[in-house]
Amino acid sequence: MRTRRRRDAGSTIARHADRAPRDKHEEMGFSDGWSTPLGQLVGVAATLYRRAPDPRARLRYDAGPPRLAVPPAQHRRGPTGKGETMTGPATDDPNAGQRAFWNGGPALLRWRDMQPTLDRLYHGITLRLLEILAPAPGEDALDIGGAASETTRQLAARVAPGGRVLGVDISDGLARAGRDALAAAGLTNAEIVVADAQTYPFPPAQFDVVSSRFGVMFFADPVAAFANIARAMRPGGRLAFAAWGDFAGNPWFHVPRDAAIARLGPSERAAPREPGPFAFETLDDPVAILTAAGLTAVRGRAETIPLVTPGTPRDAAAAACALGPASAIMRQYDGGPDDLAAIEATVAEAFVPYAADGAVAVPATLNVLEARAPG
């Protein structure tokens, strides 16, 4: 039995700008896995899946002057000799670990393939953000970290006619999947760029609406990131995002984690405030970050919104164990099929009380944040 070496988180520093970054994939249950034959095969598949970045440098319009003038992401040669889509100078990439992981490997393939499942699971959260923001026809919107998800498409449908949407994602593969989804939906008023929202040179005072569904908890320097986003908002522009709240209030995460620990052995959670899914689980933290970034009318509240999956508790358990802490612990201990089956059975039993009418609705505790740009 082998245990994965735990990354030294270092000391917890009160100032968020000094936090040490933690890879998004580690907390969500992925490791690189390249040492196994299967991992190598997946790596080859990911390489074949990758293609050159979208050559479009700016949003294009059929008529009238452009309202969104998006600067192109810079392109440079990476250390492997393959092209990498970068934002800002090559030497200024504070989220390089996130970028490297989300542009190849098992995480890219699994998140791309599971996106329809995640959109169904998080649909209620998407609708809640849209209710808060109330995007209107003719407005310009920015969607952060959701290129392949329904959030960009939902915004595009609501700001038409006359409005435009810019989706920003650090993953080229997920951005391409998002562009394909926009085309399939017939939405021509949206563009997706591969960029890091912390450093991307957004056009100033451009967006009326900024939205993110679980896409803003991974910045190395969240104050700098939101200050950059705030500069891109029009005076009085509206921002809203959803982040995971109290871990104990999220059975979608803690039930699979407890089951995996009981089956395989102990595993430590990330330190408080480290970049990752639960970086904002203490509501005061994102409120302080948004205020420090220069945003106004900052408001945060905990809300409970169900995560709904069609089917049986067993189906919901399989989805919950495919991404998240159970998946991470399986990799930590080299768990096999029997371990996974046992963990899923335990989770399915715990999810039985949430099943009704052919679906499973697992309650989720979220921190929902709102703010406005000054002016």
Side-chain angles (χ1 to χ4, degrees):
M1 181 177 298
R2 175 177 63 86
T3 60
R4 186 178 60 182
R5 181 177 299 173
R6 182 176 178 268
R7 178 176 298 189
D8 182 7
S11 59
T12 301
I13 302 175
R15 292 186 62 187
H16 294 272
D18 296 330
R19 300 186 308 175
R22 176 184 178 88
D23 288 347
K24 173 181 178 181
H25 61 277
E26 288 186 356
E27 183 76 18
M28 293 304 290
F30 294 109
S31 59
D32 55 21
W34 298 117
S35 60
T36 65
L38 177 59
Q40 294 168 4
L41 178 60
V42 172
V44 171
T47 301
L48 292 174
Y49 181 74
R50 186 183 295 115
R51 69 184 183 195
D54 192 308
R56 293 169 293 181
R58 294 178 179 268
L59 289 176
R60 290 173 169 79
Y61 300 83
D62 295 330
R67 297 182 63 208
L68 290 180
V70 182
Q74 296 184 14
H75 194 72
R76 70 175 178 90
R77 301 292 289 180
T80 63
K82 301 185 188 306
E84 293 178 303
T85 304
M86 304 296 292
T87 60
T91 56
D92 184 17
D93 193 8
N95 296 299
Q98 300 282 351
R99 182 189 307 283
F101 188 86
W102 288 101
N103 282 283
L108 169 62
L109 298 176
R110 192 178 302 192
W111 276 84
R112 183 200 65 192
D113 293 345
M114 287 196 67
Q115 197 59 59
T117 298
L118 295 174
D119 278 341
R120 287 193 298 270
L121 189 70
Y122 300 154
H123 184 63
I125 301 166
T126 301
L127 295 181
R128 179 66 179 122
L129 291 173
L130 292 169
E131 178 186 20
I132 293 169
L133 290 167
E139 291 190 313
D140 288 337
L142 173 64
D143 188 37
I144 301 170
S149 75
E150 69 169 341
T151 54
T152 302
R153 301 190 296 276
Q154 291 275 6
L155 284 168
R158 282 164 172 74
V159 300
R164 310 289 296 187
V165 177
L166 177 66
V168 176
D169 202 290
I170 205 165
S171 169
D172 180 64
L174 293 178
R176 285 187 279 111
R179 294 184 191 116
D180 291 342
L182 286 169
L187 295 167
T188 59
N189 64 328
E191 178 64 83
I192 295 173
V193 297
V194 180
D196 179 355
Q198 180 174 325
T199 58
Y200 192 70
F202 293 109
Q206 183 68 69
F207 300 102
D208 305 286
V209 169
V210 178
S211 176
S212 182
R213 189 190 73 185
F214 304 133
V216 294
M217 302 93 73
F218 307 96
F219 296 124
D221 186 340
V223 173
F226 281 107
N228 189 44
I229 293 164
R231 286 188 291 270
M233 298 171 66
R234 289 196 173 103
R238 311 174 313 274
L239 176 146
F241 68 81
W244 297 109
D246 180 29
F247 186 83
N250 281 285
W252 189 265
F253 285 89
H254 74 72
V255 169
R257 181 177 184 273
D258 292 346
I261 288 173
R263 174 75 181 187
L264 296 171
S267 182
E268 295 186 36
R269 284 192 59 208
R273 301 183 179 88
E274 280 195 13
F278 286 89
F280 292 166
E281 70 173 308
T282 301
L283 188 57
D284 290 345
D285 291 340
V287 170
I289 288 169
L290 294 177
T291 302
L295 290 156
T296 64
V298 178
R299 179 185 178 189
R301 57 188 175 277
E303 298 190 15
T304 300
I305 299 176
L307 308 180
V308 181
T309 53
T312 67
R314 190 81 189 202
D315 297 324
C321 292
L323 302 172
S327 178
I329 296 169
M330 281 284 293
R331 285 169 170 77
Q332 178 182 348
Y333 287 98
D334 288 332
D338 290 344
D339 297 313
L340 180 59
I343 294 167
E344 288 184 356
T346 300
V347 175
E349 183 177 357
F351 282 178
V352 166
Y354 307 130
D357 301 324
V360 180
V362 179
T365 300
L366 308 175
N367 287 335
V368 178
L369 280 296
E370 299 178 50
R372 286 185 175 268

